[in-house]
Amino acid sequence: MKTHLISRLTALVAVMLLPLLGCGSGNSKLTVLLKDAPGDFKEAVVTIDQVYLQGEGGKLVLSDKKVTTDLLTLANDTATLVQDAVVPEGTYGELRFVVSGAYVRVDNGDGTTSIYATSPNYEGLPDGAQVDGDLQAPSLGSSGLKVKLDGDKLEVTGEQKVLVVDFDVSQSFGHDAGNMRKWVMHPVIKGADITLTGSAAVTLTLADGTTLPTVNGEQLTLADFNAVLTNSDGTRTVVALADTNEDGVFEVNFKFLFPGAYTLSFEGPMGVTSINVTPAIPFTVNVESGKEGTYAFTLNGVVAGAQ
């Protein structure tokens, strides 16, 4: 029987299943994000060498990029383990993390701390660290750490999803019975809620009686303008407007967005110094889970620099 820390430390792995843009049906995109909340450990560092799905067709490696992270630093952030991996549609029974090493630093209750590591030479240890005992991680470097999925199966289809799983660190690290100099890592991870991503459909039309100027010797059209969506960390997504059905309405659809507030604006080609749009820009777009928001704008005119 192992003695576990009393307080709970939770880690979240967000799995986004996004249809693969530009490819035929039968494929989805998969992104895996690792997140957690602070607890009583001083440090809890793991190195993940590989992330893979186990399905009807066998093992599908999503990423073999090595990631070393202290779970305790992720309370207000995420670590990206997999970015936009292509996954064929189908049924997958397991998501697994291959862990090559780890250590925990624990509070001894007397003002001191102790480090327990999978190896005294584990590459994730801080410089000059003294390892006080062993941290055993049975099978994690071979078969990998299994993520238990809700319903025991992960169905990958053309839908966009966010699958959240719960990594309970306090249940995952504990003293080995009868040996206070040894800890054992038996990660406890279980599935949780599914949240849909959202999208924003944006249209831009030219106001009646408005004529666009000539810039750099070329007559401007709405096709020369881009829609720009900026998220909370300042990342910009720039997409050119297009009139796909030739009805005079230029469109762009921002897909697979995490719920939250974004800033929408428009930009013209070099030489355009300002854009007059109704509603006024920058405009706040609130993306809701599982919903497509529609936003219609009218271009009233632009100001161009000296020709």
Side-chain angles (χ1 to χ4, degrees):
M1 179 176 180
K2 294 181 290 184
T3 301
H4 295 292
L5 297 182
I6 297 175
S7 66
R8 178 179 176 83
L9 179 64
T10 302
L12 301 180
V13 180
V15 182
M16 282 181 16
L17 299 180
L18 309 180
L20 181 61
L21 296 175
C23 291
S25 61
N27 289 316
S28 294
K29 278 186 180 180
L30 182 73
T31 297
V32 180
L33 305 178
L34 183 66
K35 186 173 178 64
D36 103 318
D40 287 342
F41 285 100
K42 298 301 182 182
E43 293 173 88
V45 174
V46 297
T47 296
I48 299 172
D49 284 2
Q50 188 179 84
V51 181
Y52 70 92
L53 285 170
Q54 190 71 40
E56 298 167 337
K59 178 179 178 180
L60 175 65
V61 176
L62 303 176
S63 174
D64 55 8
K65 178 183 178 181
K66 182 179 293 188
V67 176
T68 298
T69 186
D70 181 355
L71 297 173
L72 304 190
T73 67
L74 300 179
N76 298 306
D77 200 357
T78 59
T80 301
L81 304 180
V82 177
Q83 182 67 51
D84 293 344
V86 177
V87 178
E89 290 187 354
T91 301
Y92 299 86
E94 299 174 2
L95 173 68
R96 287 181 175 264
F97 302 152
V98 176
V99 178
S100 62
Y103 80 86
V104 291
R105 184 193 297 271
V106 298
D107 190 339
N108 294 324
D110 59 1
T112 66
T113 61
S114 296
I115 292 178
Y116 299 85
T118 52
S119 166
N121 300 317
Y122 166 50
E123 62 184 357
L125 287 165
D127 292 340
Q130 174 185 325
V131 176
D132 300 291
D134 295 331
L135 173 62
Q136 294 187 334
S139 303
L140 297 186
S142 52
S143 61
L145 160 61
K146 178 181 177 181
V147 177
K148 184 178 181 181
L149 303 168
D150 279 355
D152 296 324
K153 299 291 183 181
L154 177 63
E155 297 289 344
V156 177
T157 68
E159 298 175 356
Q160 56 265 33
K161 301 177 182 177
V162 178
L163 172 65
V164 180
V165 297
D166 185 344
F167 187 129
D168 188 338
V169 178
S170 68
Q171 294 294 319
S172 299
F173 298 94
H175 281 299
D176 184 34
N179 188 344
M180 297 303 290
R181 307 300 296 174
K182 181 183 293 185
W183 280 56
V184 180
M185 179 180 177
H186 282 299
V188 176
I189 298 186
K190 59 184 179 180
D193 296 334
I194 292 178
T195 303
L196 298 178
T197 59
S199 61
V202 178
T203 63
L204 183 66
T205 56
L206 194 62
D208 291 341
T210 298
T211 301
L212 296 177
T214 298
V215 175
N216 302 322
E218 298 288 338
Q219 176 65 48
L220 287 184
T221 71
L222 291 182
D224 297 309
F225 292 80
N226 298 324
V228 182
L229 197 67
T230 305
N231 67 14
S232 59
D233 68 6
T235 301
R236 287 165 31 106
T237 301
V238 181
V239 181
L241 291 154
D243 184 7
T244 55
N245 56 4
E246 300 182 350
D247 62 354
V249 179
F250 284 71
E251 306 163 334
V252 62
N253 196 352
F254 295 96
K255 297 182 178 181
F256 318 127
L257 302 173
F258 278 119
Y262 296 77
T263 300
L264 176 71
S265 61
F266 297 95
E267 63 180 20
M270 185 176 296
V272 172
T273 58
S274 67
I275 301 174
N276 181 356
V277 175
T278 304
I281 53 174
F283 181 87
T284 299
V285 171
N286 290 303
V287 177
E288 297 183 56
S289 172
K291 297 183 180 180
E292 178 183 79
T294 56
Y295 306 90
F297 292 84
T298 301
L299 179 61
N300 303 310
V302 303
V303 176
Q307 302 299 300

